[in-house]
Amino acid sequence: MPKIISLEKKKRLYKVVFDNDQTIYVTEDTIVRFFLSKGAIFDPPEIDKIIAFSDFSRGKNLGLYYISFKQRTKKEVVTYLLDHDIPNFQIAKIIDELTASRFIDDDAYAASFIRGKVLGKSSGPYQIRQKLTEKGIDKALVLDKLDELFDFDTQVEVATHLAEKLVMTKYSRLPLKALKMKISTHLTTKGFSYDISKIALVNLELEADQENEAELLQKELEKVLRKYSRTYDGYDLKQRVSNALARKGFDFDVINRELREIDF
């Protein structure tokens, strides 16, 4: 039967060499469990058990190492172990053990993730749901946690907060109509429903600054006139200028009033 002729520590693993030229790498847990030492004798089936346990032990240690930096989902740990060449059947056992000992807890992960987003006032429910689903959290679990931790009133509060931040940076740079569209699009991108976005807009009680809008219109009018007058003239030029300004969020009545002052 094969006998150990060399046992040497190599970083996180131990190199074990048998007198039949077989070499294996095992964890410290494996050394302790199987009483591995120089001169010890094992038959081939026992060596297979040693290798299998070492794979499990190494995978578990890798999983614990990965989790030690921050909370991880089941899917994230599985992916990490696969990337480190842990056999699939061992991964299943490792995940079961880490889950049983609560080192992996997708329920707690989802709750913590949602609380963080709500406290940070940075995301809406649809964006949160997408991110958690990508991390492998069960959809039903995500929806349950969102219902529990991110109710309607809280969504309105967070959406209004995000809308207010955008107004602070864009109010003087956009006409009211364009600003509202910008806010609505921004909130949708952040993961809020149309209804929540609409309520947030109402909460802002935005009003147009007529003097500022007149200045904005004049600046945009000069820009589009320079652009289109190189190619068009007359009625065609007027229509293209009018449409371009409308796309910028200016009202057609205001646009037409300004354009009447220009000789096309």
Side-chain angles (χ1 to χ4, degrees):
M1 291 190 294
K3 180 173 68 174
I4 296 175
I5 59 173
S6 173
L7 197 156
E8 181 182 1
K9 185 172 176 57
K10 297 284 188 180
K11 294 184 178 179
R12 294 194 183 97
L13 297 176
Y14 286 80
K15 179 182 178 182
V16 181
V17 181
F18 293 89
D19 60 3
N20 64 350
D21 294 329
Q22 183 178 9
T23 300
I24 62 174
Y25 290 85
V26 301
T27 62
E28 187 169 345
D29 290 343
T30 310
I31 298 287
V32 174
R33 183 182 179 90
F34 291 93
F35 303 102
L36 303 185
S37 62
K38 188 175 180 180
I41 297 173
F42 299 91
D43 61 27
E46 288 177 315
I47 294 175
D48 289 340
K49 289 180 182 179
I50 291 169
I51 293 171
F53 180 82
S54 183
D55 284 341
F56 172 81
S57 176
R58 184 170 75 89
K60 183 181 176 181
N61 289 342
L62 281 169
L64 289 170
Y65 171 76
Y66 185 53
I67 293 167
S68 69
F69 293 101
K70 67 174 186 177
Q71 198 173 15
R72 310 282 186 178
T73 67
K74 174 181 174 181
K75 179 184 177 181
E76 288 175 325
V77 177
V78 168
T79 300
Y80 183 78
L81 295 178
L82 285 171
D83 289 343
H84 285 77
D85 300 320
I86 302 301
N88 278 311
F89 77 96
Q90 295 285 20
I91 289 177
K93 290 169 58 180
I94 292 164
I95 294 299
D96 286 344
E97 185 162 319
L98 292 178
T99 301
S101 56
R102 304 296 293 274
F103 285 109
I104 296 175
D105 189 338
D106 282 0
D107 188 293
Y109 184 101
S112 176
F113 187 91
I114 293 169
R115 287 192 189 98
K117 294 299 182 183
V118 172
L119 288 173
K121 297 183 177 180
S122 59
S123 301
Y126 295 111
Q127 188 180 78
I128 291 172
R129 186 171 70 186
Q130 180 184 14
K131 289 183 177 180
L132 285 175
T133 302
E134 289 172 354
K135 289 177 177 291
I137 305 292
D138 180 74
K139 290 182 181 179
L141 172 60
V142 174
L143 291 174
D144 182 57
K145 289 300 175 184
L146 282 170
D147 287 342
E148 177 187 344
L149 302 169
F150 207 2
D151 60 23
F152 184 87
D153 290 341
T154 307
Q155 289 182 44
V156 171
E157 179 186 343
V158 174
T160 303
H161 171 78
L162 289 171
E164 287 172 342
K165 286 178 64 178
L166 192 62
V167 170
M168 290 173 64
T169 60
K170 301 291 185 181
Y171 183 72
S172 63
R173 297 162 56 186
L174 294 170
L176 183 60
K177 182 179 177 182
L179 178 60
K180 288 183 175 181
M181 290 176 61
K182 186 85 172 178
I183 292 171
S184 182
T185 300
H186 179 66
L187 293 179
T188 301
T189 302
K190 284 291 185 178
F192 292 95
S193 68
Y194 172 78
D195 289 340
I196 295 293
S197 300
K198 188 175 179 180
I199 294 171
L201 274 172
V202 172
N203 288 345
L204 294 179
E205 299 180 345
L206 295 173
E207 295 181 358
D209 181 335
Q210 299 298 338
E211 183 178 344
N212 181 61
E213 293 220 358
E215 292 179 2
L216 291 172
L217 177 58
Q218 285 300 320
K219 290 179 181 178
E220 288 298 328
L221 177 56
E222 292 172 5
K223 286 167 60 177
V224 295
L225 267 176
R226 282 197 301 271
K227 176 180 177 181
Y228 289 113
S229 60
R230 297 168 188 161
T231 311
Y232 307 98
D233 58 20
Y235 178 79
D236 198 11
L237 173 59
K238 183 177 180 180
Q239 285 299 108
R240 290 181 182 276
V241 170
S242 177
N243 291 336
L245 293 174
R247 288 194 296 272
K248 293 287 185 179
F250 296 101
D251 290 327
F252 272 112
D253 289 343
V254 179
I255 294 170
N256 290 332
R257 187 166 60 246
E258 290 295 323
L259 294 185
R260 278 197 290 269
E261 304 297 322
I262 300 174
D263 182 12
F264 289 92

